[in-house]
Amino acid sequence: MHGGSKSDFTKRVEASLKSRNNKHVTLVSNICLLSHNWKKIIFLKILNITTITDISIVYSRIPGSGILLKYIKNSHQNDPFRTFLEALLVLFAIIYLLTKRYRTDNNLIELTPSEIEELVEEWQPESLVPAITESQRIELDKTPILNGPQGPRIKLVNCKNNSLMNLASFDFLGLTTNELMKEKAIQILRKYGVGSCGPPGFYGTIDVHTEFERTVSEFLGTDDTILYSQAFSTIGSAIPSFCKRGDIIVADQGCNFAIQKGIQISRSVIKWYKHNDMQDLENILLKIKNEDIESGRRLTRRFIVTEGIFENSGDIAQLPKLLELKKKFKYRLILDESLSIGTLGKRGAGLTDYYNINPKEIDMIVGSMCTALCSSGGFCSGSFEITDHQRISGPAYCYSAALPAMLSACATESIKNLDRNPHLVAKVLSNTSTFKSNMANVKYVTVDGFADSPVFHLRLNKDIKANSIEEKEKLLQEIVDDAMNNGVILTRAKYVFAQETFGIEPSIRICISASFSKKEIEKAAAITKSAITKVLKNKVR
């Protein structure tokens, strides 16, 4: 082909480009006359797409481009920070893929066998765990070791007493020694084995699990129940499965550690009201409502979170007032009844039974099987929508193995036992009243907790010579040791002080069981009172 003539291929290129941009035709023609390399022609044709319209046309032809653009717009509108973060991740991925890989040859120093042996002998591995502190060592030394089965009356290793009254256990109904429970556990163990071998959402759920969920729903009076494998993570999973970034949680400052962690994981906006102070709660809810009106912020999910019986104080929540405020300000209520189910109400059905309130007015009732039900695991009860949502979004439900069949069956049997023997709840209340009346005039400590709560705390008065947490815990441990030497097992309440949201005073936690007679309870109260006086009488300022 000569310099002055155009090839058929060049003419076809000119014709295809003329309809798009005549200004580029001459340029392409001249270049094609200079070189007939087909690769260069295709490259120039690509360069011809210069306008925003051309780019948008090309982008729209990419499969899934519309979905991606819609996702970016919605994401930026709801959470601009997330869009910025995702853009950084995309940029990092592009840079990482385009960066050259460099290979360096390490010049290793050749060591003789004797030098290698010498280095091996000198090497000292780092400890997998840090060395224990002095307070931790004392804690381990003071931990009692059981010499036999758990129960209301126990034996300890290296203890002169053959049988000690156990006031440190959550076994309120005394079911750990129930023979029917033992027979049921052995029967289920032989039929199903030990482990569940799978998560609940796949092949871990069997008939005993669904039977427990039905039994709890019937016992409490709710629509449905979901079973969790761990008690601690039940509330910590139920809260973040519903509460997300931007939602608002209003919680009691006295809530237990598990609730605090669940609230923290949710990343919601947190408002705390003073412990069991309904006036402060109403003020906070009113303030949030006024802020919504002034700022015009969009409506988000709103929750009130509290406990039935507070683990850290023994107080009982004021459920009627909570429901009144819940309805007035349009909030949902999450109620942790880990300690109140089996101990409050005529049937032992918890706080709703205690106040004679329809349980369906509570959005979520969370409970533990490690306390009165004498098993392991936890549950969340409410409407079908509440439970179904957790089966696909509850972290502790989706990513944990199902509860062993034996434990689920034992919890079911505990509820049936409670149904057959409602007098056990009355016995717990009677023993609680007897113990507290005998502790009414105790000196040096304050008895925290409501009158009907079988869980209460002994805390040092302010006139005791103890300023730091360590000093207070040391005095409390001396009381525990003295009571144990006289036949009563007490325990210091265990707190993670460094992670507690609000400051909390060290205490001795006492749990009352239906297993003891009135005389035994009076004896236990007298021993506890004597130990307090013996240890603290010379510690007053």
Side-chain angles (χ1 to χ4, degrees):
M1 183 181 296
H2 300 286
S5 63
K6 295 183 180 179
S7 67
D8 293 337
F9 182 73
T10 304
K11 292 177 181 179
R12 287 198 299 273
V13 170
E14 288 180 353
S16 63
L17 294 177
K18 182 177 296 184
S19 60
R20 299 176 62 84
N21 195 333
N22 292 329
K23 292 188 294 182
H24 295 286
V25 174
T26 306
L27 176 62
V28 173
S29 300
N30 293 334
I31 293 175
C32 289
L33 289 173
L34 296 175
S35 174
H36 300 287
N37 190 321
W38 61 274
K39 293 181 180 179
K40 292 183 179 180
I41 295 173
I42 294 175
F43 177 72
L44 290 171
K45 185 175 180 180
I46 294 174
L47 289 179
N48 191 40
I49 306 175
T50 57
T51 65
I52 296 177
T53 304
D54 293 336
I55 294 174
S56 64
I57 292 172
V58 173
Y59 177 78
S60 64
R61 293 174 181 173
I62 300 174
S65 59
I67 297 174
L68 178 61
L69 185 61
K70 184 179 179 181
Y71 168 78
I72 293 174
K73 288 181 178 179
N74 292 338
S75 176
H76 178 75
Q77 179 182 1
N78 297 333
D79 194 350
F81 176 77
R82 178 178 173 183
T83 305
F84 174 72
L85 182 61
E86 289 180 350
L88 286 180
L89 291 174
V90 171
L91 181 61
F92 172 78
I94 294 173
I95 295 174
Y96 179 79
L97 292 173
L98 297 180
T99 302
K100 294 181 179 180
R101 271 65 169 176
Y102 293 97
R103 181 178 177 180
T104 58
D105 296 325
N106 295 324
N107 297 322
L108 302 178
I109 301 174
E110 295 292 336
L111 299 177
T112 63
S114 60
E115 289 175 331
I116 294 175
E117 290 295 331
E118 183 180 351
L119 289 174
V120 170
E121 291 177 359
E122 293 177 354
W123 180 71
Q124 293 294 331
E126 293 184 6
S127 176
L128 294 176
V129 294
I132 63 172
T133 62
E134 181 63 19
S135 60
Q136 290 173 332
R137 185 190 62 77
I138 296 174
E139 180 81 15
L140 290 174
D141 292 341
K142 296 293 184 180
T143 302
I145 302 173
L146 291 178
N147 184 17
Q150 174 69 276
R153 298 169 184 83
I154 59 176
K155 295 180 181 179
L156 299 180
V157 175
N158 299 325
C159 183
K160 62 181 181 180
N161 290 299
N162 293 327
S163 179
L164 296 91
M165 293 179 61
N166 188 359
L167 300 186
S169 171
F170 286 133
D171 181 21
F172 302 110
L173 306 177
L175 297 179
T176 52
T177 56
N178 186 283
E179 292 301 323
L180 289 176
M181 295 278 292
K182 293 180 181 180
E183 292 175 6
K184 186 69 174 180
I186 294 171
Q187 176 188 348
I188 296 297
L189 183 62
R190 287 174 175 168
K191 181 178 180 180
Y192 294 98
V194 179
S196 57
C197 301
F202 293 90
Y203 45 84
T205 299
I206 54 178
D207 55 351
V208 292
H209 297 133
T210 55
E211 181 187 3
F212 170 80
E213 293 175 346
R214 286 195 303 270
T215 303
V216 171
S217 299
E218 293 171 0
F219 179 69
L220 297 180
T222 56
D223 293 335
D224 196 23
T225 298
I226 180 172
L227 172 63
Y228 282 85
S229 302
Q230 302 90 18
F232 183 88
S233 59
T234 300
I235 188 72
S237 177
I239 291 176
S241 65
F242 289 94
C243 309
K244 307 298 181 183
R245 188 190 298 274
D247 295 336
I248 298 177
I249 296 177
V250 183
D252 192 298
Q253 291 183 356
C255 285
N256 62 47
F257 190 65
I259 294 178
Q260 294 175 33
K261 291 293 114 177
I263 291 174
Q264 181 182 349
I265 293 170
S266 73
R267 300 180 298 172
S268 302
V269 177
I270 314 300
K271 304 290 184 181
W272 298 93
Y273 65 92
K274 296 176 183 178
H275 174 53
N276 231 4
D277 188 336
M278 296 298 99
Q279 184 58 53
D280 188 52
L281 171 60
E282 185 172 7
N283 293 339
I284 290 176
L285 297 179
L286 184 60
K287 182 179 179 182
I288 294 173
K289 180 180 179 180
N290 293 335
E291 289 175 353
D292 290 341
I293 296 173
E294 293 174 1
S295 62
R297 63 187 174 193
R298 63 189 182 90
L299 183 64
T300 57
R301 290 178 288 261
R302 312 290 173 93
F303 298 86
I304 298 173
V305 182
T306 188
E307 289 183 80
I309 293 180
F310 289 88
E311 182 181 345
N312 293 341
S313 63
D315 296 334
I316 297 176
Q318 302 176 48
L319 188 57
K321 185 64 177 179
L322 284 167
L323 287 175
E324 178 187 332
L325 295 176
K326 162 191 178 303
K327 296 173 182 177
K328 179 180 179 180
F329 291 94
K330 306 297 188 295
Y331 276 64
R332 295 180 175 91
L333 178 60
I334 301 176
L335 180 63
D336 186 350
E337 295 219 62
S338 296
L339 296 176
S340 50
I341 291 178
T343 61
L344 292 181
K346 294 180 180 179
R347 300 185 303 110
L351 208 60
T352 55
D353 188 18
Y354 181 76
Y355 285 111
N356 194 26
I357 290 175
N358 186 353
K360 293 185 179 180
E361 294 190 43
I362 315 299
D363 297 280
M364 275 187 278
I365 297 177
V366 180
S368 169
M369 298 145 66
C370 302
T371 53
L373 299 187
C374 194
S375 183
S376 183
F379 61 87
C380 181
S381 197
S383 65
F384 289 104
E385 292 79 9
I386 290 293
T387 57
D388 286 346
H389 179 72
Q390 291 178 71
R391 296 186 196 280
I392 59 173
S393 64
Y397 184 86
C398 296
Y399 305 113
S400 296
L403 188 71
M406 176 181 64
L407 297 175
S408 180
C410 286
T412 303
E413 188 63 30
S414 295
I415 296 176
K416 293 179 179 179
N417 192 307
L418 186 57
D419 262 338
R420 293 191 298 265
N421 302 286
H423 67 275
L424 290 175
V425 182
K427 183 64 174 176
V428 173
L429 179 60
S430 174
N431 283 351
T432 299
S433 178
T434 299
F435 192 97
K436 290 184 177 180
S437 62
N438 281 268
M439 294 286 292
N441 298 321
V442 66
K443 297 180 180 179
Y444 315 119
V445 298
T446 301
V447 181
D448 287 344
F450 276 29
D452 293 343
S453 172
V455 180
F456 48 95
H457 293 253
L458 305 180
R459 289 189 164 92
L460 300 176
N461 289 340
K462 294 182 179 180
D463 59 351
I464 298 299
K465 295 178 182 178
N467 298 320
S468 65
I469 291 176
E470 290 75 14
E471 291 175 346
K472 293 177 182 179
E473 291 208 314
K474 184 179 179 181
L475 290 176
L476 294 174
Q477 185 60 49
E478 290 180 15
I479 296 173
V480 171
D481 293 341
D482 189 83
M484 183 175 66
N485 293 333
N486 289 282
V488 177
I489 288 289
L490 303 177
T491 182
R492 286 185 295 108
K494 302 301 188 294
Y495 305 110
V496 187
F497 291 102
Q499 297 187 39
E500 291 283 347
T501 306
F502 299 95
I504 189 167
E505 286 292 312
S507 65
I508 291 175
R509 186 188 65 228
I510 295 178
C511 301
I512 302 299
S513 173
S515 302
F516 303 118
S517 65
K518 183 177 181 179
K519 288 185 178 180
E520 287 176 317
I521 289 293
E522 289 174 346
K523 179 182 177 182
I527 291 173
T528 303
K529 197 171 183 179
S530 175
I532 293 171
T533 303
K534 181 179 178 180
V535 173
L536 300 179
K537 64 181 180 180
N538 296 322
K539 303 295 183 180
V540 181
R541 298 181 190 275

